[in-house]
């Protein structure tokens, strides 16, 4: 058995049509996986799909902020590939404003997209994983799973929730041979953070000063940890949350 081989493993990557999700999907494809990319934007989806080094791939356009959409998405992937080995819950949004200025809708949008979708996609994938004899779920958290920020109340709540969701699912499904882990990215250069850099004065300088590696991460920096958590190499690892952050969370 090759520890990091993903040959014929079927992976769903939500929010896989750009940024961190796409880089993880590209890593999975290079390791031999079959890939289902999920997102809302179809033109980004088509471009992302073309960049994957596997003929076994599809893009599905879904807004995953409802439980029903998560179920329909999982059924569509099962219809195409017949199994689900890996689920990466990566779709996410951020709304940057002071807590007192949040509307009810904004709060729910962030929580439903970032946290509820991870739960409902996992719940929908569970029967297939159990029936197959196992699976891997990877939840994408954040430095805001660990730290607060004045402009990110809903985002931080959702990402803190991702770590507890990870631990709860890991304990519930360990005997089904389903490992559930989280990756906590540091500050990574993507569309999401390009907007944050534009909207939050001084953010770029703060990130560079605080990150021991002295740089922003690249989406590709997340692929190695994701392949580890998706492969047989991590079969006795469950309920863990791994920072991939250039040392950001290690610094006082
Ligand atoms: P992007 O904005 O590039 O990616 C976000 C992805 O989520 C897009 O592919 C988007 O697809 C998808 N998405 C958003 N809302 C929905 C929805 N309702 N239904 C389906 N898909 C949706 O940003 P990143 O790559 O940076 O972010 C990916 C993940 O990594 C997020 O969970 C983010 O919180 C997390 N993260 C990012 C960090 C960073 O520094 N960049 C740091 C820590 C965590 P579409 O465009 O089609 O809507």
């Amino acid at each position: 058995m090759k520890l990091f081989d993903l040959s014929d493993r079927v992976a769903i990557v939500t929010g896989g049509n750009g940024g961190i999700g796409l880089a993880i999907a590209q890593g999975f494809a290079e390791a031999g996986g079959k890939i289902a990319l999920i997102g809302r934007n179809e033109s980004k989806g088509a471009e992302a799909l073309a960049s994957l080094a596997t003929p076994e791939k599809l893009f599905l356009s879904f807004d995953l902020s409802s439980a029903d959409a998560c179920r329909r998405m999982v059924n569509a992937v099962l219809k195409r590939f017949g199994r689900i080995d890996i689920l990466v819950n990566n779709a996410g949004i951020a709304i940057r404003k002071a807590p007192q200025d949040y509307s009810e809708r904004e709060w729910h949008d962030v929580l439903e997209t970032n946290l509820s979708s991870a739960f409902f996609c996992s719940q929908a994938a569970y029967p297939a994983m159990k029936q197959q004899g196992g699976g891997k779920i990877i939840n994408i958290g954040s430095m805001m799973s660990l730290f607060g920020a004045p402009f990110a109340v809903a985002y931080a709540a959702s990402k803190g929730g991702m770590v507890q969701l990870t631990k709860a699912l890991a304990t519930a499904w360990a005997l089904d041979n389903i490992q559930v882990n989280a990756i906590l990215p540091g500050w990574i250069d993507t569309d999401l953070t390009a907007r944050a850099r534009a909207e939050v004065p001084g953010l770029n300088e703060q990130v560079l000063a605080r990150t021991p590696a002295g740089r922003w991460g690249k989406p590709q920096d997340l692929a190695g940890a994701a392949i580890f958590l998706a492969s047989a190499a991590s079969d006795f690892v469950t309920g863990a949350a791994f920072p991939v952050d250039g040392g950001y969370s290690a610094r006082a």
Side-chain angles (χ1 to χ4, degrees), residues 15 17 20 40-41 44 63-64 90 141 155 159 186 188 190 193:
N17 54 351
I20 290 171
R40 295 171 299 185
N41 183 318
K44 267 172 66 185
D63 179 339
L64 296 174
N90 166 79
Y155 186 83
K159 294 299 187 177
I188 313 297
T190 66
T193 48

Side-chain angles (χ1 to χ4, degrees), residues 43 60 78 127 153 174 227 248:
S43 63
L60 295 171
L78 281 171
V153 63
I227 292 169
Y248 186 97

Side-chain angles (χ1 to χ4, degrees), residues 6 9 15 20 24 37 42 64 69 72 75 77 79 84 112 119 131 139 178 194-196 199 202 204 208 246-247:
L6 299 182
R9 304 274 177 105
I20 290 171
I24 289 173
L37 299 179
E42 300 203 11
L64 296 174
R72 285 187 288 113
N75 285 338
V77 174
K79 195 168 169 199
I84 297 169
E112 282 161 14
F119 172 63
Q131 197 208 344
N139 294 324
I178 298 170
R195 285 196 296 278
E199 289 172 18
N204 184 44
L208 291 176

Side-chain angles (χ1 to χ4, degrees), residues 5 23 32 71 114 117 119-120 126 160-161 163 169 171 186 201 209 212 214-215 237-238 240 243 246:
D5 185 24
R71 291 182 202 116
N114 297 7
S117 79
F119 172 63
F120 288 115
Y126 171 74
V163 172
L169 293 181
T171 57
R215 66 171 176 86
V237 179
T238 198

Side-chain angles (χ1 to χ4, degrees), residues 27-211:
F28 287 174
E30 279 168 30
K34 303 178 181 181
I35 313 293
L37 299 179
I38 319 298
R40 295 171 299 185
N41 183 318
E42 300 203 11
S43 63
K44 267 172 66 185
E47 205 177 312
L49 207 58
S51 76
L52 296 182
T54 171
E56 299 278 6
K57 55 190 174 182
L58 84 161
F59 171 75
L60 295 171
S61 178
F62 277 97
D63 179 339
L64 296 174
S65 57
S66 75
D68 178 59
C70 294
R71 291 182 202 116
R72 285 187 288 113
M73 180 278 286
V74 164
N75 285 338
V77 174
L78 281 171
K79 195 168 169 199
R80 163 69 189 268
F81 288 125
R83 57 187 293 127
I84 297 169
D85 300 285
I86 302 156
L87 168 65
V88 183
N89 289 311
N90 166 79
I93 57 169
I95 296 176
R96 279 170 288 279
K97 53 170 64 177
Q100 60 272 27
D101 296 335
Y102 258 73
S103 70
E104 189 176 345
R105 188 64 259 156
E106 287 170 331
W107 170 266
H108 286 297
D109 279 348
V110 175
L111 269 290
E112 282 161 14
T113 304
N114 297 7
L115 181 59
S116 302
S117 79
F119 172 63
F120 288 115
C121 289
S122 301
Q123 191 185 51
Y126 171 74
M129 288 184 173
K130 179 177 163 69
Q131 197 208 344
Q132 290 157 205
K136 303 278 188 177
I137 297 175
I138 303 170
N139 294 324
I140 305 300
S142 161
M143 286 299 98
M144 289 186 207
S145 301
L146 307 172
F147 305 113
F151 52 84
V153 63
Y155 186 83
S158 73
K159 294 299 187 177
M162 284 295 251
V163 172
Q164 292 305 108
L165 175 70
T166 298
K167 291 179 185 176
L169 293 181
T171 57
W173 295 344
L175 291 179
D176 298 313
N177 192 31
I178 298 170
Q179 288 83 46
V180 188
N181 292 290
I183 294 176
L184 313 182
W187 286 91
I188 313 297
D189 187 9
T190 66
D191 289 351
L192 191 79
T193 48
R195 285 196 296 278
R197 260 192 268 197
E199 289 172 18
V200 182
L203 179 67
N204 184 44
E205 293 72 21
Q206 282 169 33
V207 168
L208 291 176
R210 159 99 201 225
T211 305

